[in-house]
Amino acid sequence: MLLPAVPRTRLPVADRPAVDTPFGRLTFATTVGTRNLPPEPDELFQLPGHRLLARWATPEARVELLLTPHDPELDPATWGPLTDCRAAVWRIDALAPLGRVRFSAELPVPLPEGADWGYDGGQALAAITAEDDETRLTVGGNDEEAICWAAEAREVPQQWAALIDEPHRSSSGAWGVDYGPSPGMSWTLPPLAAGEHCELPVVAAWAPAADDSANTWYAVMPSPTVLLRQVAADPATRADAPDGG
């Protein structure tokens, strides 16, 4: 469970959770086995500091999605200032053996006129960057190598660490990151046993296109542990707030 000690207020579920970016809403989708979860969650909570926590429940799994502002703490002597940065932490808890789980993060199609996008991954980072004359937006998360490394931090099952020796998959392989014709990415996970969990980060950062310091690229690299620690350390999360369950 994500951030069980942080106070929250239950909200009516009216729309799918998303991150508003200069190129449209970054939306998320989950498939558990052959079941595509609905865009709208079963439960939605407001957390302090303008954060949202969404939950879905199936007989096989519990799925949570945290949306939060993020400060990547870039050194101003090296990188230009960001316009904004938003992060998501996606968590799945397996209640039964799961042979296939898939999570995606995508921008709308088509992008606004004058904008283009492309693959921008590297150094354990799965990423795309969209850009027009005014703005550069990078969306990033773990690639296959980083997913395996995440076992050390217990963000994924420990046996996934051994998968780092497997070749990176293609779209026809068993697991890994896919880039499709749409501006976004999808993560197909290795199998999970009952009682195991996985946490994945997705970060969106944008800045003026004229800034050539690669600040958006370096901003989208944190682990779920770093993101959750930042939320828990925020004084706003320790303020009194009603608990909606």
mmCIF file of all heavy atoms in Angstrom, residues 16 26-31 65 90 102-106 178 184-188 200 202:
data_model
loop_
_atom_site.group_PDB
_atom_site.id
_atom_site.type_symbol
_atom_site.label_atom_id
_atom_site.label_comp_id
_atom_site.label_asym_id
_atom_site.label_seq_id
_atom_site.Cartn_x
_atom_site.Cartn_y
_atom_site.Cartn_z
ATOM 1 N N ARG A 16 -10.641 10.079 -15.075
ATOM 2 C CA ARG A 16 -9.455 9.255 -14.914
ATOM 3 C C ARG A 16 -8.308 10.100 -14.378
ATOM 4 O O ARG A 16 -8.163 11.278 -14.732
ATOM 5 C CB ARG A 16 -9.062 8.604 -16.248
ATOM 6 C CG ARG A 16 -8.548 9.559 -17.283
ATOM 7 C CD ARG A 16 -8.335 8.881 -18.627
ATOM 8 N NE ARG A 16 -7.443 7.742 -18.564
ATOM 9 C CZ ARG A 16 -7.213 6.920 -19.586
ATOM 10 N NH1 ARG A 16 -7.810 7.139 -20.752
ATOM 11 N NH2 ARG A 16 -6.402 5.903 -19.458
ATOM 12 N N LEU A 26 -1.325 13.514 -19.804
ATOM 13 C CA LEU A 26 -0.609 12.247 -19.741
ATOM 14 C C LEU A 26 -1.494 11.287 -18.954
ATOM 15 O O LEU A 26 -1.736 11.475 -17.766
ATOM 16 C CB LEU A 26 0.740 12.430 -19.042
ATOM 17 C CG LEU A 26 1.609 11.182 -18.895
ATOM 18 C CD1 LEU A 26 2.118 10.701 -20.253
ATOM 19 C CD2 LEU A 26 2.777 11.444 -17.939
ATOM 20 N N THR A 27 -1.994 10.259 -19.637
ATOM 21 C CA THR A 27 -2.931 9.328 -19.019
ATOM 22 C C THR A 27 -2.287 7.958 -18.849
ATOM 23 O O THR A 27 -1.300 7.618 -19.508
ATOM 24 C CB THR A 27 -4.212 9.192 -19.855
ATOM 25 O OG1 THR A 27 -3.872 8.767 -21.182
ATOM 26 C CG2 THR A 27 -4.962 10.516 -19.914
ATOM 27 N N PHE A 28 -2.893 7.150 -17.975
ATOM 28 C CA PHE A 28 -2.312 5.875 -17.581
ATOM 29 C C PHE A 28 -3.346 4.765 -17.750
ATOM 30 O O PHE A 28 -4.545 4.993 -17.608
ATOM 31 C CB PHE A 28 -1.857 5.939 -16.123
ATOM 32 C CG PHE A 28 -0.968 7.123 -15.831
ATOM 33 C CD1 PHE A 28 -1.498 8.320 -15.347
ATOM 34 C CD2 PHE A 28 0.392 7.060 -16.063
ATOM 35 C CE1 PHE A 28 -0.695 9.415 -15.084
ATOM 36 C CE2 PHE A 28 1.208 8.158 -15.811
ATOM 37 C CZ PHE A 28 0.674 9.326 -15.319
ATOM 38 N N ALA A 29 -2.859 3.561 -18.034
ATOM 39 C CA ALA A 29 -3.744 2.414 -18.195
ATOM 40 C C ALA A 29 -3.046 1.174 -17.672
ATOM 41 O O ALA A 29 -1.816 1.064 -17.727
ATOM 42 C CB ALA A 29 -4.126 2.226 -19.661
ATOM 43 N N THR A 30 -3.848 0.235 -17.161
ATOM 44 C CA THR A 30 -3.312 -1.004 -16.590
ATOM 45 C C THR A 30 -4.089 -2.195 -17.128
ATOM 46 O O THR A 30 -5.318 -2.160 -17.217
ATOM 47 C CB THR A 30 -3.423 -0.993 -15.053
ATOM 48 O OG1 THR A 30 -2.783 0.168 -14.536
ATOM 49 C CG2 THR A 30 -2.781 -2.230 -14.444
ATOM 50 N N THR A 31 -3.353 -3.252 -17.461
ATOM 51 C CA THR A 31 -3.944 -4.538 -17.825
ATOM 52 C C THR A 31 -3.413 -5.583 -16.859
ATOM 53 O O THR A 31 -2.199 -5.707 -16.665
ATOM 54 C CB THR A 31 -3.583 -4.938 -19.260
ATOM 55 O OG1 THR A 31 -4.062 -3.948 -20.166
ATOM 56 C CG2 THR A 31 -4.190 -6.276 -19.623
ATOM 57 N N LEU A 65 -2.243 4.202 -7.917
ATOM 58 C CA LEU A 65 -1.536 5.195 -8.716
ATOM 59 C C LEU A 65 -1.509 6.499 -7.941
ATOM 60 O O LEU A 65 -2.560 7.088 -7.667
ATOM 61 C CB LEU A 65 -2.227 5.388 -10.065
ATOM 62 C CG LEU A 65 -1.582 6.411 -11.007
ATOM 63 C CD1 LEU A 65 -0.220 5.915 -11.488
ATOM 64 C CD2 LEU A 65 -2.491 6.688 -12.206
ATOM 65 N N TRP A 90 3.267 3.999 -9.642
ATOM 66 C CA TRP A 90 2.287 2.943 -9.902
ATOM 67 C C TRP A 90 2.690 1.720 -9.098
ATOM 68 O O TRP A 90 3.845 1.294 -9.125
ATOM 69 C CB TRP A 90 2.279 2.639 -11.391
ATOM 70 C CG TRP A 90 1.378 1.520 -11.827
ATOM 71 C CD1 TRP A 90 0.018 1.560 -11.969
ATOM 72 C CD2 TRP A 90 1.774 0.210 -12.231
ATOM 73 N NE1 TRP A 90 -0.453 0.367 -12.431
ATOM 74 C CE2 TRP A 90 0.606 -0.489 -12.593
ATOM 75 C CE3 TRP A 90 3.004 -0.444 -12.312
ATOM 76 C CZ2 TRP A 90 0.630 -1.808 -13.028
ATOM 77 C CZ3 TRP A 90 3.038 -1.751 -12.746
ATOM 78 C CH2 TRP A 90 1.866 -2.413 -13.105
ATOM 79 N N ARG A 102 0.525 -5.200 -17.403
ATOM 80 C CA ARG A 102 1.004 -4.174 -18.323
ATOM 81 C C ARG A 102 0.517 -2.814 -17.852
ATOM 82 O O ARG A 102 -0.645 -2.660 -17.446
ATOM 83 C CB ARG A 102 0.475 -4.465 -19.732
ATOM 84 C CG ARG A 102 1.054 -3.584 -20.839
ATOM 85 C CD ARG A 102 0.503 -4.065 -22.178
ATOM 86 N NE ARG A 102 0.967 -3.277 -23.305
ATOM 87 C CZ ARG A 102 2.056 -3.538 -24.018
ATOM 88 N NH1 ARG A 102 2.800 -4.587 -23.705
ATOM 89 N NH2 ARG A 102 2.398 -2.781 -25.036
ATOM 90 N N PHE A 103 1.424 -1.828 -17.900
ATOM 91 C CA PHE A 103 1.112 -0.470 -17.473
ATOM 92 C C PHE A 103 1.596 0.475 -18.558
ATOM 93 O O PHE A 103 2.679 0.288 -19.119
ATOM 94 C CB PHE A 103 1.822 -0.161 -16.153
ATOM 95 C CG PHE A 103 1.670 1.255 -15.674
ATOM 96 C CD1 PHE A 103 0.435 1.740 -15.290
ATOM 97 C CD2 PHE A 103 2.771 2.102 -15.590
ATOM 98 C CE1 PHE A 103 0.288 3.040 -14.838
ATOM 99 C CE2 PHE A 103 2.641 3.406 -15.136
ATOM 100 C CZ PHE A 103 1.398 3.873 -14.759
ATOM 101 N N SER A 104 0.798 1.496 -18.874
ATOM 102 C CA SER A 104 1.189 2.430 -19.929
ATOM 103 C C SER A 104 0.963 3.858 -19.489
ATOM 104 O O SER A 104 0.130 4.160 -18.627
ATOM 105 C CB SER A 104 0.410 2.157 -21.222
ATOM 106 O OG SER A 104 -0.964 2.423 -21.039
ATOM 107 N N ALA A 105 1.759 4.760 -20.091
ATOM 108 C CA ALA A 105 1.630 6.207 -19.889
ATOM 109 C C ALA A 105 1.722 6.853 -21.257
ATOM 110 O O ALA A 105 2.713 6.661 -21.967
ATOM 111 C CB ALA A 105 2.742 6.723 -18.975
ATOM 112 N N GLU A 106 0.689 7.601 -21.653
ATOM 113 C CA GLU A 106 0.643 8.129 -23.020
ATOM 114 C C GLU A 106 0.100 9.545 -23.059
ATOM 115 O O GLU A 106 -0.818 9.901 -22.310
ATOM 116 C CB GLU A 106 -0.235 7.231 -23.909
ATOM 117 C CG GLU A 106 0.340 5.851 -24.135
ATOM 118 C CD GLU A 106 -0.462 5.055 -25.150
ATOM 119 O OE1 GLU A 106 -1.643 5.409 -25.377
ATOM 120 O OE2 GLU A 106 0.089 4.094 -25.715
ATOM 121 N N ASP A 178 7.909 -1.059 -24.183
ATOM 122 C CA ASP A 178 7.550 -0.881 -25.595
ATOM 123 C C ASP A 178 7.283 0.583 -25.891
ATOM 124 O O ASP A 178 6.697 1.306 -25.073
ATOM 125 C CB ASP A 178 6.279 -1.670 -25.941
ATOM 126 C CG ASP A 178 6.570 -3.125 -26.243
ATOM 127 O OD1 ASP A 178 7.623 -3.410 -26.832
ATOM 128 O OD2 ASP A 178 5.747 -3.974 -25.860
ATOM 129 N N GLY A 184 4.297 7.790 -26.069
ATOM 130 C CA GLY A 184 4.248 7.223 -24.732
ATOM 131 C C GLY A 184 5.006 5.923 -24.662
ATOM 132 O O GLY A 184 5.751 5.566 -25.581
ATOM 133 N N MET A 185 4.827 5.211 -23.554
ATOM 134 C CA MET A 185 5.514 3.954 -23.307
ATOM 135 C C MET A 185 4.582 3.003 -22.583
ATOM 136 O O MET A 185 3.623 3.426 -21.931
ATOM 137 C CB MET A 185 6.750 4.181 -22.429
ATOM 138 C CG MET A 185 7.836 5.021 -23.042
ATOM 139 S SD MET A 185 8.968 5.643 -21.768
ATOM 140 C CE MET A 185 7.960 6.906 -20.999
ATOM 141 N N SER A 186 4.895 1.705 -22.677
ATOM 142 C CA SER A 186 4.193 0.707 -21.878
ATOM 143 C C SER A 186 5.206 -0.272 -21.312
ATOM 144 O O SER A 186 6.208 -0.588 -21.949
ATOM 145 C CB SER A 186 3.128 -0.020 -22.703
ATOM 146 O OG SER A 186 3.728 -0.735 -23.764
ATOM 147 N N TRP A 187 4.935 -0.716 -20.096
ATOM 148 C CA TRP A 187 5.799 -1.649 -19.386
ATOM 149 C C TRP A 187 5.038 -2.960 -19.216
ATOM 150 O O TRP A 187 3.979 -2.993 -18.577
ATOM 151 C CB TRP A 187 6.170 -1.118 -18.015
ATOM 152 C CG TRP A 187 7.068 0.075 -18.009
ATOM 153 C CD1 TRP A 187 8.416 0.090 -17.823
ATOM 154 C CD2 TRP A 187 6.695 1.454 -18.157
ATOM 155 N NE1 TRP A 187 8.909 1.366 -17.860
ATOM 156 C CE2 TRP A 187 7.876 2.223 -18.064
ATOM 157 C CE3 TRP A 187 5.464 2.106 -18.377
ATOM 158 C CZ2 TRP A 187 7.864 3.614 -18.180
ATOM 159 C CZ3 TRP A 187 5.458 3.481 -18.498
ATOM 160 C CH2 TRP A 187 6.644 4.226 -18.397
ATOM 161 N N THR A 188 5.554 -4.046 -19.777
ATOM 162 C CA THR A 188 5.032 -5.380 -19.522
ATOM 163 C C THR A 188 5.960 -6.041 -18.515
ATOM 164 O O THR A 188 7.170 -6.141 -18.746
ATOM 165 C CB THR A 188 4.964 -6.213 -20.806
ATOM 166 O OG1 THR A 188 4.127 -5.541 -21.758
ATOM 167 C CG2 THR A 188 4.390 -7.593 -20.523
ATOM 168 N N LEU A 200 6.605 1.225 -9.879
ATOM 169 C CA LEU A 200 7.283 1.847 -11.009
ATOM 170 C C LEU A 200 7.054 3.360 -10.986
ATOM 171 O O LEU A 200 5.948 3.810 -10.687
ATOM 172 C CB LEU A 200 6.759 1.299 -12.340
ATOM 173 C CG LEU A 200 7.134 -0.129 -12.728
ATOM 174 C CD1 LEU A 200 6.462 -0.487 -14.050
ATOM 175 C CD2 LEU A 200 8.641 -0.292 -12.846
ATOM 176 N N VAL A 202 6.885 7.099 -13.004
ATOM 177 C CA VAL A 202 6.763 7.821 -14.273
ATOM 178 C C VAL A 202 6.852 9.299 -13.937
ATOM 179 O O VAL A 202 6.102 9.773 -13.073
ATOM 180 C CB VAL A 202 5.437 7.527 -14.992
ATOM 181 C CG1 VAL A 202 5.370 8.311 -16.309
ATOM 182 C CG2 VAL A 202 5.271 6.043 -15.254
#
